[in-house]
Structures are given as C-alpha cells and as structure tokens.
Amino acid sequence: PPSGRAGDLAALSELDEAALLSGLRERFLSQHIYTDIGDILVAVNPFQPLPLYGREVSERYQSLQTDSLPPHIFAVAGRAYHAMLGRRGGGPRNQCILV
C-alpha cells in the first residue's frame, strides 16, 4: 500500500500501469471508490449504493485541512473553492475541474 497521504497512489515507490491498476483494484474491493494520484482524483463506479454523500460526510470535508481524510470528490471541490477565494495562500486563483 502507498505511504504518505492515505489513498494517494503517487506515493508508491514504483508508479507504473500495473501498480496503479493493482492499487485501484485493492481500493475498489475495500469499497474505496475514490483514489488520488497526486492532484488527480480517480473514481471507480462501485455498481452499488455507498454512504458517501450524506451531510455528515460533507461536513468532514468542509475544512481547509482535508489531507488526513480519504480521497473524495468533496475534497476536490473544497480545495478548488478555497483556492478560488484565496484561502490556501497566494491570493485568489481561477480554478478548473475536469470531470
């Protein structure tokens, strides 16, 4: 498993296609459908409902410090929002999210 930030495959000692696919499969089998690879969030369709979007989950990702939380679309949105407002240092910056 990767070291560093939880769920960030960029922390793997060897980052190749086989390692990425293995990491994604391992996380999928443990029902972790979101995986970071550096600044990229990969989502894998779980083909089943998972409790990932309720109010309680949303509230955990509203902080500026989400690095200790598992990868999630709410973290991506929060980072973009706070960067847009300049809350992440360096002043306000335009943001783009590709889905």
Side-chain angles (χ1 to χ4, degrees):
S3 59
R5 237 173 44 150
D8 190 347
L9 295 184
L12 291 172
S13 59
E14 290 192 33
L15 188 59
D16 59 15
E17 183 178 354
L20 289 176
L21 291 175
S22 175
L24 289 170
R25 183 178 192 280
E26 181 181 315
R27 291 184 55 75
F28 174 81
L29 292 174
S30 60
Q31 295 188 329
H32 298 301
I33 65 164
Y34 292 117
T35 303
D36 284 330
I37 304 172
D39 289 336
I40 299 169
L41 178 70
V42 175
V44 180
N45 187 339
F47 299 103
Q48 63 179 312
L50 294 175
L52 297 174
Y53 306 105
R55 179 178 298 255
E56 180 181 304
V57 175
S58 173
E59 288 173 355
R60 284 190 284 162
Y61 286 89
Q62 289 181 4
S63 154
L64 282 171
Q65 302 299 324
T66 60
D67 290 345
S68 63
L69 296 172
H72 198 287
I73 190 68
F74 290 162
V76 172
R79 283 192 301 268
Y81 178 73
H82 291 299
M84 180 183 68
L85 297 178
R87 294 182 182 162
R88 299 189 67 83
R93 295 188 330 248
N94 293 334
Q95 298 296 302
C96 176
I97 297 173
L98 177 63
V99 178

